[in-house]
Amino acid sequence: MSTLLVTGGAGFIGSNFVHYVVANTDYDVIVLDKLTYAGNRASLDGLPEARVRLVEGDIADAALVDSLMPEVDAIVHYAAESHNDNSLNDPSPFVTTNVIGTFTLLEAARRHGKRIHHISTDEVYGDLELDDPNRFTEHTPYNPSSPYSSTKAGSDLLVRAWVRSFGVEATISNCSNNYGPRQHVEKFIPRQITNLIDGVHPKLYGAGLNVRDWIHADDHSSAVLTILEKGRIGETYLIGADGEKNNKEVVELILTLMGEAPDSYEHVNDRPGHDLRYAIDSTKLREELGWAPRFSDFESGLKDTIAWYRENEAWWRPQKAETEAKYARSGQ
Ligand code: NAD
Ligand code: TDX
């Protein structure tokens, strides 16, 4: 492999992967990104022009995707509509991008004989009870709850069918909740950090007892690179770093790290259908491919993330007012 097509490479996790690949490998990268509200050219700032090229376009544009295939050796597919709350307000772009977009890439991979790695989420498995001793594994049945997670589940199933029916050389990874720099301020952690910078109280949905399994985006990127290079074709790998925390604990930690009283948050309307708990068992990835996360200390990763938002207001400020106006309309 020498050139990767990274779809959604101007988004949060896709851009992290592009930075990671440039720093740790010799691969060149073509980013295919539609630059929706969630995409940001500035997330690719500082990368060498000789190694990274941004193509602005839609993954559902079959002619465009086809035209890029001769230049690339493999596709790493991050592009998606990614926010659950948005999927409850307007599911339509979730179906077109997540399902039709993935279908379009699979057809191009099939026609041109290209390797493809599909990035997915633990949300395809539904949710767990707080006291369930089990975590999600590669054998957990699919049971998605939201328009977002059901379209991600649909895209995973398309990938599996294209492997079996057409012999497409694909792998899938399902990762838990990511945190780190360059995440859109609509998401939980950056929303609270930027609220506090603006002197606004953090907002907890419902009682704040829902649990998420946090992983630093750099660890997600190292896992994806490992699977791309060493994963067995047709296999699914779950990615997680044993980072379970409830939302109240996370907000309290953000408040403490930012010098505020740990209880100075507000409860707001809950998300309809809000998944209770996600938890990943990543034994397969660790034992079969020898991967391990490097960020084991959530508090220090969070501290760095807070510092990044403090130092990069120019990156997030243009997103903030519109995002908060949207939340205000749903009492969140
Ligand atoms: P994001 O919303 O920050 O970025 C998505 C990117 O995709 C943006 O740059 C956007 O412009 C681009 N995009 C959207 N529609 C497109 C289209 N039709 N054509 C081309 N580009 C398009 O999302 P993220 O949080 O970085 O998530 C990236 C991937 O990782 C998604 O597939 C998501 O399901 C998956 N994932 C995310 C998390 C998480 O915690 N954020 C966890 C597990 C898996
Ligand atoms: O203001 C908030 N207050 C709050 O309590 C927001 C924005 C969220 N929440 C809660 C909802 C969730 O329980 O925090 C938790 C995390 O919320 P999100 O950041 O919206 O993430 P989540 O819905 O868990 O989905 C994320 O992880 C899996 C990503 O957005 C998905 O793309 C990924 O697939």
Side-chain angles (χ1 to χ4, degrees):
M1 284 191 298
S2 69
T3 302
L4 305 179
L5 180 69
V6 178
T7 72
F12 164 46
I13 312 180
S15 65
N16 185 287
F17 181 75
V18 177
H19 283 272
Y20 190 88
V21 160
V22 167
N24 294 286
T25 75
D26 294 328
Y27 303 141
D28 293 333
V29 175
I30 298 174
V31 169
L32 173 58
D33 199 295
K34 193 179 174 183
L35 297 179
T36 66
Y37 81 96
N40 195 336
R41 277 175 198 281
S43 295
L44 300 170
D45 281 355
L47 292 166
E49 274 175 37
R51 292 187 59 194
V52 179
R53 175 158 66 95
L54 171 64
V55 175
E56 188 176 342
D58 193 328
I59 55 166
D61 178 343
L64 173 63
V65 170
D66 236 35
S67 73
L68 295 171
M69 285 299 109
E71 293 184 69
V72 304
D73 302 295
I75 304 165
V76 188
H77 174 33
Y78 287 90
E81 285 292 333
S82 69
H83 193 42
N84 275 299
D85 292 320
N86 293 342
S87 81
L88 296 165
N89 290 328
D90 179 12
S92 165
F94 289 76
V95 175
T96 41
T97 289
N98 301 359
V99 181
I100 310 289
T102 302
F103 159 75
T104 306
L105 293 167
L106 284 167
E107 283 292 82
R110 171 158 86 105
R111 274 194 298 273
H112 296 266
K114 302 293 174 180
R115 164 97 170 82
I116 177 166
H117 178 70
H118 175 63
I119 308 295
S120 192
T121 169
D122 56 0
E123 297 191 21
V124 299
Y125 299 114
D127 58 355
L128 298 162
E129 293 299 327
L130 294 179
D131 60 356
D132 191 332
N134 297 306
R135 298 187 292 171
F136 298 139
T137 73
E138 289 77 5
H139 302 293
T140 304
Y142 273 41
N143 187 26
S145 315
S146 72
Y148 163 67
S149 53
S150 61
T151 57
K152 291 298 292 187
S155 66
D156 293 9
L157 298 181
L158 291 177
V159 176
R160 290 181 184 194
W162 262 242
V163 171
R164 173 141 178 190
S165 305
F166 304 122
V168 167
E169 290 190 22
T171 41
I172 301 174
S173 55
N174 298 80
C175 188
S176 61
N177 283 63
N178 285 223
Y179 74 99
R182 297 185 294 266
Q183 184 170 30
H184 195 281
V185 299
E186 69 189 355
K187 301 298 196 306
F188 178 52
I189 288 179
R191 184 181 184 205
Q192 316 313 335
I193 296 171
T194 54
N195 273 355
L196 281 167
I197 292 173
D198 282 349
V200 173
H201 291 299
K203 317 277 186 196
L204 266 185
Y205 291 177
L209 299 179
N210 303 63
V211 170
R212 297 295 183 263
D213 188 354
W214 294 99
I215 182 172
H216 194 282
D218 284 4
D219 281 333
H220 189 178
S221 292
S222 71
V224 168
L225 189 63
T226 302
I227 298 165
L228 185 69
E229 293 182 328
K230 299 202 280 185
R232 283 184 294 137
I233 297 302
E235 292 291 313
T236 291
Y237 296 89
L238 264 54
I239 305 173
D242 302 331
E244 281 188 74
K245 296 213 170 348
N246 75 32
N247 296 336
K248 190 165 155 293
E249 291 173 285
V250 174
V251 156
E252 287 168 350
L253 186 55
I254 293 172
L255 280 159
T256 305
L257 291 173
M258 294 184 72
E260 304 284 337
D263 61 352
S264 57
Y265 54 79
E266 279 172 20
H267 293 282
V268 294
N269 285 343
D270 206 350
R271 174 184 286 169
H274 195 175
D275 279 342
L276 190 53
R277 172 177 164 234
Y278 307 135
I280 288 271
D281 177 346
S282 58
T283 304
K284 177 178 173 182
L285 174 62
R286 293 173 193 239
E287 292 189 350
E288 194 180 302
L289 304 184
W291 172 83
R294 284 191 306 113
F295 287 79
S296 49
D297 182 353
F298 181 67
E299 184 171 330
S300 86
L302 198 53
K303 223 185 254 174
D304 291 349
T305 304
I306 292 167
W308 189 88
Y309 281 92
R310 279 191 165 130
E311 287 156 18
N312 290 277
E313 184 164 341
W315 183 94
W316 59 264
R317 179 58 68 192
Q319 313 166 351
K320 186 66 181 169
E322 196 184 327
T323 302
E324 289 304 318
K326 231 191 271 179
Y327 279 128
R329 286 195 287 276
S330 45
Q332 293 177 316

